[in-house]
Amino acid sequence: MRILSGIQPTGLPHLGNYFGMMKSAIELQETGDALYFIADLHALTTVRDPEALRHNTREIAIDFLACGLDPVKSCLFRQSDITCISELSWILSTVTPMGLLERCHSYKDKLAKGLHASLGLFSYPVLMAADILAYDSDVVPVGRDQKQHLEVTRDIAVKINELYGEVFKLPEPLIRDESAAIPGTDGAKMSKSYGNTLELFLEEAPLKKKIMGIQTDSTPVEAPKPIEGSAILGIYRHVASPSDYAEMEADFLAGGKGYGDFKKRLFAAVWEYFAPMRESRKRFADDPAEVDRLLRDGAVRATSKTLPVMERMRRAIGLL
Ligand code: ADP
Ligand code: TRP
């Protein structure tokens, strides 16, 4: 089984990325041939600062390794190092109906947020389809927000297969938690582009400050607190044991405790959850040359997996 996923270097990895994608990706490396990449070409649709792009790319690699990605079992690489992806993206774009892309929520959301409507932003899902199809991927672990992009990938693959015969494998999304996206400090989906993130490896004081700053309603201390839509509970659910979670939920419903108390419990749980990974992170952070070497090695191994697929595709469409 071939497993593939990507993450954009538009900022530093946060709890939403971890529980939405990185955790399953790391677990899956035990069950098949895993390929994980840093989607720097996708990030170019929004990041205009070259230093930030370089910095975030390496930091994401370090965080992924710290969280348990094994660079021997899995390939970890930069998307832009696999040069055939851009070629494949163009080829796929020639069969992609405009209407399919016009329907994409993430494009519409980005426009609504005031992003410039570039061709790259519009065709973002086609590049993503190229990422997935170039490796004959079977399974793609992603957060729920990427589900539609996986559907677009499958539609494009079906279109090519209808036109040219069986060229591409149809990938399946693997969505760990269908119920909800992990909320950010403002209660909306945690996202690097919303400025509401809890980064995985923040120092203690800034992490505490962000958690204490989570937006809450003005229910008085003595009154029961609403559990529906609570960002505190939405995050706590992932980092606490089931019994600690049940206890906090009961305390919400009982009243008599303030949000400050719940936030302190949330901070302690987040801090403890990531403690072992924080330790292992130091080893990689102290050796950036080794991280760069691992990324290059990952790219060489990943490229070799695209060769048979690209040859099959070029033959089928008449380029070979
Ligand atoms: P961001 O929205 O922060 O820019 P990315 O688009 O790079 O994050 O997403 C990388 C992976 O993390 C994707 O699989 C995405 O679905 C997942 N992800 C991001 N934010 C969340 C969230 N708040 N909850 C669940 N999964 C998430
Ligand atoms: N679009 C994904 C995101 O924003 C990142 C990504 C790019 C990706 N290419 C991919 C994810 C291929 C899975 C497979 O999260």
Side-chain angles (χ1 to χ4, degrees):
M1 182 175 69
R2 190 161 282 171
I3 308 135
L4 170 129
S5 195
I7 176 168
Q8 293 190 75
T10 43
L12 301 178
H14 53 72
L15 266 66
N17 296 141
Y18 183 75
F19 291 106
M21 184 280 257
M22 294 164 74
K23 189 164 187 264
S24 343
I26 290 164
E27 287 165 5
L28 283 166
Q29 71 186 350
E30 306 301 331
T31 63
D33 181 16
L35 296 139
Y36 301 127
F37 62 92
I38 303 160
D40 49 2
L41 295 177
H42 276 108
L44 283 175
T45 57
T46 51
V47 180
R48 289 281 163 261
D49 175 350
E51 264 323 304
L53 191 63
R54 252 189 291 276
H55 174 77
N56 292 339
T57 299
R58 191 190 272 149
E59 292 296 306
I60 288 180
I62 293 174
D63 283 6
F64 232 136
L65 292 162
C67 290
L69 184 134
D70 179 333
V72 176
K73 279 191 194 138
S74 306
C75 289
L76 176 67
F77 56 99
R78 269 181 295 255
Q79 180 188 31
S80 60
D81 281 341
I82 318 301
T83 49
C84 67
I85 296 297
S86 303
E87 174 192 347
L88 181 55
S89 179
W90 169 256
I91 291 164
L92 300 181
S93 78
T94 63
V95 304
T96 307
M98 296 287 282
L100 191 62
L101 301 180
E102 275 159 2
R103 282 197 294 277
C104 286
H105 307 301
S106 88
Y107 175 68
K108 290 192 277 194
D109 291 350
K110 284 172 185 164
L111 288 199
K113 271 196 285 140
L115 260 85
H116 172 62
S118 67
L119 181 57
L121 201 63
F122 184 66
S123 63
Y124 181 112
V126 183
L127 180 59
M128 183 157 161
D131 289 325
I132 297 169
L133 301 176
Y135 305 93
D136 274 344
S137 311
D138 297 294
V139 175
V140 184
V142 282
R144 197 176 56 141
D145 59 317
Q146 297 299 314
K147 192 175 177 175
Q148 194 184 33
H149 288 159
L150 262 292
E151 286 160 8
V152 170
T153 299
R154 289 173 63 95
D155 285 351
I156 296 175
V158 166
K159 185 95 188 165
I160 292 266
N161 291 352
E162 277 170 5
L163 288 166
Y164 299 107
E166 285 303 301
V167 179
F168 291 122
K169 234 184 194 176
L170 298 190
E172 293 291 339
L174 185 92
I175 300 170
R176 185 188 194 90
D177 189 349
E178 282 275 2
S179 59
I182 287 115
T185 53
D186 58 357
K189 171 198 165 250
M190 187 179 291
S191 171
K192 290 176 233 115
S193 42
Y194 298 163
N196 63 357
T197 51
L198 298 175
E199 288 77 13
L200 299 183
F201 298 109
L202 269 184
E203 299 285 333
E204 191 167 355
L207 178 66
K208 196 177 248 167
K209 193 166 170 215
K210 280 197 173 191
I211 290 181
M212 296 313 286
I214 290 177
Q215 287 175 25
T216 47
D217 60 27
S218 51
T219 312
V221 174
E222 58 283 2
K225 314 280 178 300
I227 55 174
E228 200 56 45
S230 160
I232 299 176
L233 285 170
I235 304 169
Y236 195 62
R237 188 161 71 85
H238 296 277
V239 288
S241 67
S243 61
D244 284 352
Y245 178 78
E247 195 179 322
M248 191 187 283
E249 209 178 67
D251 287 345
F252 260 65
L253 294 171
K257 289 201 167 79
Y259 283 121
D261 178 77
F262 298 130
K263 289 175 185 174
K264 280 188 196 138
R265 278 151 75 178
L266 173 62
F267 166 75
V270 173
W271 189 252
E272 192 184 312
Y273 190 97
F274 290 98
M277 305 177 209
R278 206 172 296 119
E279 264 317 295
S280 90
R281 190 179 195 282
K282 287 186 195 136
R283 194 159 55 86
F284 297 105
D286 288 346
D287 196 353
E290 171 65 3
V291 174
D292 290 347
R293 191 193 66 74
L294 291 174
L295 287 173
R296 280 195 303 274
D297 176 62
V300 171
R301 289 187 289 136
T303 299
S304 72
K305 307 198 186 218
T306 64
L307 300 177
V309 187
M310 289 300 289
E311 163 145 0
R312 193 169 75 223
M313 186 270 314
R314 289 191 191 108
R315 269 191 201 291
I317 66 175
L319 292 179
L320 263 186

